[in-house]
Amino acid sequence: MTRTAFGWVLTVCLVAFWSLMAAAQTTTPDYLAWEKVAQRAEAAVEVSQASDGAFDALRAEVADWRQQFQTQLSANDSRLDTLREQIASLGPLPAEGTTEAPELAARRAELDSQLERMITPRRTAEEAFSRANGVIAEIDGILRDRQAQELLDRGPLPINPANWPTAYRHIGDTVSETIGGAQSAIENPIRLAAAQNNLPVIILLFVVGIILLVRSRKWSELLADRVQLGASDATGGIAGFLVSLGQILLPMLGLWALIRAIGATEMFGPRGQLLLDALEPVGLVLLFSLWLAGRFFPKGNIVRSPLPLPSKRRTEGRIYTCFLGIVWGLALLLERFSEYESYAPAASAVLHFILICVASLLIIRLGWLVRRAVRGAEEDKAVERAFARRFVQVTGQGAIAIGLIAPLLAALGYNTAARTLIYPAMATFALFALISLLQNLLRDIYAAIRPGEDARDSLIPTLLSFGIAIMSLPLLALIWGARVTDLTEVLGMVQSGLTIGDTTISPGSFFTLIIVFMLGYLLTRAIQNALKVSVLPKTRIEPGGQVAMVSGLGYIGIFLSALFAITTAGIDLSSLAIVAGALSVGIGFGLQTIVSNFVSGIILLIERPIAEGDWIEVGGQMGYVRSISVRSTRIETFDRTDVIVPNADLISGTVTNYTRGNTVGRLILPVGVAYGTDTRRVDRILRELAEAHPMTLMNPPPTILFAGFGADSLDFEIRVILRDVNWMNAVKNDLNHQIAERFVAEGIEIPFAQRDVWLRNPEALQQRPSAKPSPMPQEAPQTGVQDIDPSAAPDAEGDGR
C-alpha cells in the first residue's frame, strides 16, 4: 500500500471514529428507563431508611442519567442557531390585515416546524435534568444530615473505668486469634508443603525486604546530602529533594517484598491476612512521616528548613512528627480491626481515647514549636513573608486549640467528633508541611532556570506557590469530611459556567477568551515594534508623530483583540447591553476625571501641541517634557524632579512652550544705572556686550531699549534672540558678569534703593521729665528706620535732612 493510500484510509477511519463518537454523544436518552430509576430514587429519599452505601450507589446512578441529559441539552446548538438565523432573515411577521408572499409563508412554516422538532427533545431533557438534579440534592442533604448527627451523638465515656475491661478483652481476643490462626496454618500440612515449595522465593523476598527496610533510608539520606553539597544552592536543593524521595520509595519496595514473602508462606489466618493488607497503608504513613520530619526539621544545615529553629528544637520536631505517624498508623489498624471484629462502642471509645490523648499532646508540642519559630524570626517587611509568618502563627495556635479540645470532647463521650477533629488535623498539618516543601522546590527550580539574587522571591515562583496552595484546597476539603460527590458537584457547577441573561461564561470560553486576547495583544506588540524600529525611523515623521502613531495602533489593536476574543468565546454582547449601560453611568459619574484625562491624552498624541523634549511651563511648573501617556504627562523640572501633570490641564489650561518647532527664543535682561549717567554711552556698552556673546543671533540684531525713569535708576533692557533658548539662564549669567565688570571699568554706577527720612514736629520726640520715673525701661517699638536724637537735629523747625 502506498503512503497516499494509507493516508486516505487513515483519514476515513478517523472520520468514521469521530462520527461514531458524535452519534454516541447525541443519542437520545431512554426516558422510560429513567422514569423507573427516578421513581425508585424518589421513593428511597421519601422513606430515608437506606444505608449510606445504598444512597451513594443510587446517587451515582442518577448522576449518570443527569450527565446524559446535560449532553442532550447542548446537542444541536449550531443547528438551532442556524434555524433561528434563517427565520430572522425572512424578516418580521406581517402586520395584522396584511398577507405575506406564499413562498415566504411556506418557508417560514417549514423552518418553524423544524425548529419545534429540534427544541422538543431539548425541553424534555431539560425537565429530566432538573428532576435528576433535585433527586441528587435531596440525597446529598440526607447524607450531610446523617454526618452532622454522628458528630452530635454522644457515646460511652472512655474515662469510665467500667468500659476498660471491655477494651482489654477485645484487644486480647484479636491478638490471641491472630496468633491462633498462624498456629493453625503451621499445623496444616497442605500449607506447610506450599511454603516449602515457595521457600527460595520467600527467602529472596525476605532478604531484599529486610535490607531495603533497614538500610535504604540511610543510603537515600546520605546520597541526598552529598548531591546537595556538590551543587549550587538552587540545583542542589532540587537534586536533594528528588533523591530524598528514595527514603519513601525504597523502604516501601522493601515492605512490599516483605509482605509478599510472608504472604507466600500462607502461615496465617484471616486476621493475619487483614494485618498484612493493612501493613502497606500503615507503612506508607510511617515512611511519609519520617521523610516529612527529615525535610521539615532537618538534622543539619544542608537542607533548607522552612522554619528558623535551632538544632535542639528541630530534633524535637522530628521526634514529635515520627510519633504522630505511629499514632496515625495505629489508628488505621484500629479502624480495620474494630470494623472486622465488630468491637463494642465502649471498647472502640477507650482505644481511640488513648490515641487521641497521645496525638493531642504531640500536636500541642508541635504547635508550640511553630509559634516559637515565628517569634524567633526577625521582622521582615516583605508582604509575602509577613503573610507566611502570620499563617504559620495561626496554624500553631490552631494546633494548640485542637490538642486541647479533642481530648475534652472524647472524655465527654463525643467520640466521633473528637476523631473527626484530631485525625484530620494531623493530616492537615502534614499537608501544610508538604505544600511548603513543594513551594521551596518550585523556587529552587525557577532560581536554577533564571539565576539571580532575588530569583526565589520574584513574581513567577510566588504565583506558582500560590497556585499550589489553591490546588490543595480540594484535598483539604476531603480531609475534613467532604465527599468526592461534593467536589464533583462543585466541578460541575464550575464547568457549566456563569449564566448572565442568555450568555453562559464557562471555564472553556473564559480560557478561549484569554488565549485569543493574548495572541492578539502579542501580534499588536509585534507590529508596534516593527513600526517603531524598522519603518517609522526611515520616514520624515517627527518623533512625536511616531510616538502618536505607535500608541494609536496599540489602542486599536487591543480593542480589536478584545472584540475578536469575545466573539470567539461565544459571548453575546447584546445580552450584556443593560449591564454595560448601567456601568457606563457609574463610569460617567465616578471616573469622569480619568476619562477626561484619557481623551485629553489622545488629543495630545494626535494634535501634538507639545512633544517629548519640549520646554514648557504649565500651572506654575516649568521643565522638559519626558513622556506623554494617555492619562498624564511627565515633566522633568530643572532641579531634576518629576512632575506628573494630568493631560486635562494641558488641554484646558494655559501652556507656554518655549521650544515648540525650534529652539530659537528671546531673552530680556533688565539693567539699571544711576541718575546722571550718559545714556548713549550705556546704550553703546550694552550693545557691544550683547553682540559679542556667541549665543546671540545677529538677524535680527540685539536691541537696547531705554525703558524709562525708575524710582532709583535709569532703566534699560537688553533684548537678544538666542540660538537655543535652553541656554537662557547661562546667557543671562554671562551677560550679568560682563556688565558688572564693564561698568566698574567705565566708572558707571549701578544704583541701589535710597530713602530720605523727614521728621515732622521733632520737639514732640524730646523726653519730658515725669514725677514718677518708670520702674524699668520700655523697649522702643521695632521700626525699619534708625532712631534719631532730636537734639542733634541742625534745624529745630524740621528742615534738616
Side-chain angles (χ1 to χ4, degrees):
M1 182 181 294
T2 62
R3 182 177 299 178
T4 304
F6 177 76
W8 278 105
V9 172
L10 181 61
T11 303
V12 171
C13 292
L14 290 175
V15 171
F17 173 75
W18 287 113
S19 300
L20 291 174
M21 291 294 294
Q25 291 179 354
T26 58
T27 301
T28 303
D30 187 357
Y31 289 102
L32 294 177
W34 156 244
E35 184 66 26
K36 297 178 181 178
V37 173
Q39 291 179 358
R40 178 162 53 88
E42 290 170 349
V45 168
E46 184 177 358
V47 176
S48 186
Q49 296 296 327
S51 63
D52 291 351
F55 270 127
D56 286 334
L58 185 60
R59 187 194 184 284
E61 186 177 0
V62 176
D64 291 338
W65 281 101
R66 185 180 62 173
Q67 183 62 37
Q68 296 182 31
F69 302 145
Q70 188 173 8
T71 304
Q72 187 68 24
L73 286 175
S74 59
N76 301 322
D77 281 346
S78 59
R79 179 59 182 161
L80 288 173
D81 293 338
T82 303
L83 287 174
R84 292 190 181 98
E85 291 177 0
Q86 287 179 300
I87 295 173
S89 64
L90 296 178
L93 291 172
E96 295 183 3
T98 60
T99 58
E100 191 176 21
E103 295 82 0
L104 291 179
R107 183 58 178 166
R108 188 187 300 275
E110 180 183 356
L111 292 176
D112 288 338
S113 176
Q114 293 181 19
L115 183 63
E116 187 65 26
R117 286 197 304 269
M118 299 195 69
I119 288 179
T120 299
R122 188 166 185 171
R123 290 173 178 170
T124 305
E126 186 174 357
E127 184 274 333
F129 178 83
S130 300
R131 187 179 183 183
N133 213 21
V135 171
I136 289 175
E138 291 179 350
I139 294 176
D140 289 339
I142 292 173
L143 294 177
R144 279 193 292 267
D145 291 341
R146 290 182 178 180
Q147 191 175 10
Q149 187 61 38
E150 288 179 1
L151 296 177
L152 299 177
D153 287 341
R154 190 176 181 185
L157 296 178
I159 58 176
N160 186 0
N163 295 325
W164 299 352
T166 304
Y168 178 77
R169 187 182 68 254
H170 277 291
I171 290 295
D173 292 344
T174 299
V175 173
S176 62
E177 289 177 2
T178 303
I179 297 175
Q183 291 176 352
S184 300
I186 293 174
E187 295 173 359
N188 190 335
I190 298 177
R191 292 194 176 187
L192 187 59
Q196 291 176 353
N197 293 332
N198 296 330
L199 189 59
V201 177
I202 293 173
I203 294 175
L204 178 62
L205 291 176
F206 187 82
V207 171
V208 172
I210 291 296
I211 292 175
L212 290 178
L213 276 175
V214 174
R215 300 300 301 171
S216 61
R217 286 197 70 257
K218 187 64 176 178
W219 294 340
S220 299
E221 184 179 355
L222 293 176
L223 182 60
D225 292 344
R226 183 172 299 180
V227 168
Q228 195 157 349
L229 283 175
S232 62
D233 188 19
T235 307
I238 300 170
F241 182 87
L242 296 178
V243 173
S244 69
L245 294 177
Q247 300 176 26
I248 301 176
L249 299 178
L250 294 178
M252 276 301 298
L253 182 60
L255 180 62
W256 178 86
L258 188 61
I259 292 173
R260 295 302 178 274
I262 298 174
T265 62
E266 298 184 3
M267 297 300 174
F268 46 82
R271 290 167 184 80
Q273 183 63 49
L274 181 64
L275 180 61
L276 286 179
D277 294 339
L279 281 181
E280 287 188 2
V282 171
L284 180 61
V285 168
L286 293 176
L287 293 173
F288 176 75
S289 301
L290 292 172
W291 173 81
L292 194 63
R295 300 299 298 184
F296 203 81
F297 302 103
K299 294 181 181 180
N301 297 324
I302 300 176
V303 179
R304 183 186 294 108
S305 175
L307 294 179
L309 287 171
S311 178
K312 182 179 178 181
R313 300 303 179 190
R314 292 202 300 267
T315 302
E316 293 181 18
R318 287 196 301 274
I319 294 174
Y320 300 151
T321 306
C322 294
F323 274 102
L324 276 177
I326 295 173
V327 172
W328 198 351
L330 292 176
L332 293 177
L333 283 177
L334 180 58
E335 287 288 341
R336 293 207 176 192
F337 276 99
S338 63
E339 183 179 356
Y340 182 81
E341 299 283 355
S342 299
Y343 284 180
S348 180
V350 171
L351 295 174
H352 276 291
F353 180 71
I354 297 173
L355 296 178
I356 288 172
C357 290
V358 176
S360 298
L361 180 60
L362 295 173
I363 285 178
I364 289 174
R365 291 297 299 173
L366 277 178
W368 179 82
L369 274 181
V370 168
R371 293 188 61 188
R372 184 181 182 88
V374 174
R375 290 175 183 172
E378 296 181 357
E379 291 295 329
D380 197 336
K381 296 182 180 180
V383 176
E384 178 195 358
R385 294 179 181 175
F387 173 77
R389 252 196 343 270
R390 179 61 180 167
F391 179 79
V392 172
Q393 184 178 9
V394 172
T395 302
Q397 294 173 351
I400 295 174
I402 291 173
L404 295 175
I405 294 173
L408 181 61
L409 290 176
L412 294 176
Y414 296 99
N415 303 295
T416 303
R419 292 198 297 268
T420 306
L421 183 63
I422 194 68
Y423 296 136
M426 295 164 56
T428 300
F429 299 143
L431 178 62
F432 287 166
L434 180 62
I435 290 173
S436 65
L437 294 178
L438 292 178
Q439 289 174 342
N440 283 338
L441 176 64
L442 280 178
R443 296 179 186 277
D444 287 336
I445 292 175
Y446 185 79
I449 297 174
R450 301 286 299 273
E453 184 178 354
D454 298 329
R456 288 176 52 84
D457 297 328
S458 58
L459 177 61
I460 293 180
T462 301
L463 293 178
L464 293 177
S465 301
F466 181 73
I468 288 180
I470 294 298
M471 288 188 294
S472 67
L473 292 180
L475 185 57
L476 190 63
L478 292 175
I479 289 174
W480 284 99
R483 295 178 294 119
V484 178
T485 53
D486 296 333
L487 298 182
T488 55
E489 285 296 309
V490 174
L491 181 61
M493 293 174 59
V494 172
Q495 289 178 346
S496 61
L498 176 65
T499 301
I500 304 176
D502 295 332
T503 302
T504 300
I505 303 176
S506 63
S509 61
F510 177 76
F511 283 116
T512 301
L513 186 147
I514 295 298
I515 292 173
V516 174
F517 177 77
M518 290 303 299
L519 291 176
Y521 177 76
L522 293 176
L523 180 61
T524 301
R525 295 293 295 174
I527 296 176
Q528 282 183 295
N529 291 332
L531 286 177
K532 187 177 181 179
V533 176
S534 303
V535 179
L536 293 178
K538 299 178 181 179
T539 63
R540 297 183 178 179
I541 303 175
E542 59 179 346
Q546 297 179 13
V547 172
M549 292 181 63
V550 173
S551 301
L553 180 63
Y555 294 121
I556 294 173
I558 291 174
F559 174 76
L560 294 178
S561 299
L563 187 63
F564 188 69
I566 293 173
T567 306
T568 306
I571 300 176
D572 187 8
L573 295 179
S574 61
S575 60
L576 303 178
I578 299 177
V579 178
L583 289 177
S584 63
V585 174
I587 291 174
F589 283 102
L591 303 178
Q592 55 183 346
T593 303
I594 297 177
V595 174
S596 175
N597 290 327
F598 182 83
V599 175
S600 300
I602 295 177
I603 295 174
L604 288 176
L605 292 174
I606 294 176
E607 293 186 355
R608 300 192 301 281
I610 61 175
E612 293 184 7
D614 285 355
W615 174 14
I616 68 171
E617 181 180 2
V618 55
Q621 298 291 337
M622 180 182 295
Y624 293 103
V625 177
R626 294 307 183 194
S627 63
I628 303 174
S629 64
V630 293
R631 193 197 67 83
S632 60
T633 297
R634 183 170 65 90
I635 299 175
E636 182 183 344
T637 61
F638 297 124
D639 54 359
R640 293 297 186 267
T641 59
D642 283 349
V643 178
I644 308 300
V645 180
N647 288 332
D649 294 348
L650 297 174
I651 294 298
S652 60
T654 301
V655 181
T656 303
N657 194 333
Y658 293 96
T659 57
R660 178 60 180 166
N662 56 63
T663 58
V664 176
R666 187 173 68 172
L667 168 64
I668 299 177
L669 181 63
V671 178
V673 297
Y675 276 93
T677 307
D678 186 0
T679 57
R680 298 292 181 181
R681 182 183 173 198
V682 173
D683 183 284
R684 185 179 67 257
I685 294 173
L686 294 179
R687 190 181 304 276
E688 291 177 359
L689 294 176
E691 292 178 352
H693 199 280
M695 292 298 297
T696 302
L697 288 178
M698 299 307 296
N699 186 17
T703 58
I704 308 299
L705 176 65
F706 187 5
F709 301 92
D712 302 301
S713 63
L714 302 174
D715 296 334
F716 290 82
E717 288 183 357
I718 302 177
R719 299 191 173 190
V720 296
I721 304 297
L722 303 181
R723 303 178 186 273
D724 191 346
V725 75
N726 293 300
W727 293 85
M728 177 181 293
N729 289 330
V731 173
K732 185 184 296 185
N733 180 69
D734 294 342
L735 289 179
N736 282 330
H737 280 294
Q738 294 174 10
I739 290 171
E741 295 171 357
R742 186 68 177 273
F743 279 5
V744 170
E746 296 288 342
I748 298 175
E749 179 184 358
I750 300 177
F752 54 88
Q754 301 182 26
R755 295 292 182 268
D756 293 337
V757 180
W758 292 80
L759 298 179
R760 178 175 297 177
N761 299 326
E763 65 276 3
L765 298 178
Q766 294 179 355
Q767 184 176 2
R768 298 177 180 177
S770 60
K772 295 182 179 180
S774 177
M776 59 183 301
Q778 297 183 358
E779 294 183 359
Q782 298 292 327
T783 63
V785 182
Q786 189 177 5
D787 293 339
I788 302 175
D789 186 2
S791 61
D795 191 349
E797 298 296 329
D799 294 335
R801 296 187 180 182

